[in-house]
Amino acid sequence: MTVIAENYPASSPARWIGRILSGLVIVFLLFDGAIKLVPWPIVTETMERMGYGSSDALMRGLGAITIVCTVLYAIPPTSILGAILLTGYLGGAIASHVRIESPLFTHTLFGLYLGLMVWGGLWLRDANLRSLMPFRRTLLQQRSQ
């Protein structure tokens, strides 16, 4: 099967905004994953508040998953796979906050905000992803008419 995809080049400012957004997400998630690898009291208290107990193995496992997914997102050839995995991870975080009835805009939707930054940054810096987005193609076609 042959797939023909048109590449829509992004302007230089758009690419830089995408890199900055992606960089912010990468730094935040690497920090988040790293602190879960160390059994600090604040991390264990947060895990208990979320209803996961104080299991060091679970905490370290979540930290490792966060770091692996973030590294995949940071490497250009695997960035789409990393974004997909991070979307699932952030969806789980949202579900956990819904379950314990966290504040909506500050805690529950934080995973959504981060997910929008993940995909927005990737969309701005990756021409192949832009070519897959149908609304982008429609907008370009409208401009040319």
Side-chain angles (χ1 to χ4, degrees):
M1 178 170 105
T2 304
V3 176
I4 300 173
E6 300 176 44
N7 284 336
Y8 298 110
S11 64
S12 184
R15 276 194 310 265
W16 276 104
I17 292 170
R19 289 174 184 153
I20 291 168
L21 275 175
S22 295
L24 289 171
V25 168
I26 290 165
V27 168
F28 176 78
L29 288 174
L30 286 177
F31 175 75
D32 182 58
I35 66 169
K36 288 179 180 147
L37 297 177
V38 181
W40 287 343
I42 187 69
V43 178
T44 54
E45 289 170 17
T46 303
M47 292 289 285
E48 286 176 6
R49 239 180 308 143
M50 297 293 290
Y52 293 112
S54 59
S55 169
D56 286 345
L58 177 63
M59 193 168 47
R60 286 192 177 106
L62 288 174
I65 289 170
T66 305
I67 291 171
V68 167
C69 293
T70 304
V71 168
L72 287 171
Y73 176 71
I75 300 169
T78 60
S79 59
I80 292 177
L81 173 62
I84 292 168
L85 294 173
L86 285 173
T87 301
Y89 181 81
L90 294 171
I94 292 169
S96 295
H97 282 286
V98 167
R99 186 177 51 79
I100 64 166
E101 299 177 353
S102 292
L104 179 65
F105 293 105
T106 56
H107 293 69
T108 303
L109 292 180
F110 186 76
L112 174 67
Y113 307 146
L114 209 53
L116 289 172
M117 289 175 64
V118 165
W119 284 101
L122 186 57
W123 188 81
L124 287 169
R125 66 184 169 97
D126 189 333
N128 292 324
L129 184 59
R130 281 192 309 279
S131 69
L132 293 175
M133 297 296 211
F135 65 88
R136 178 66 176 159
R137 186 171 295 139
T138 303
L139 290 174
L140 285 174
Q141 289 170 349
Q142 288 174 355
R143 287 184 192 164
S144 65
Q145 292 175 353

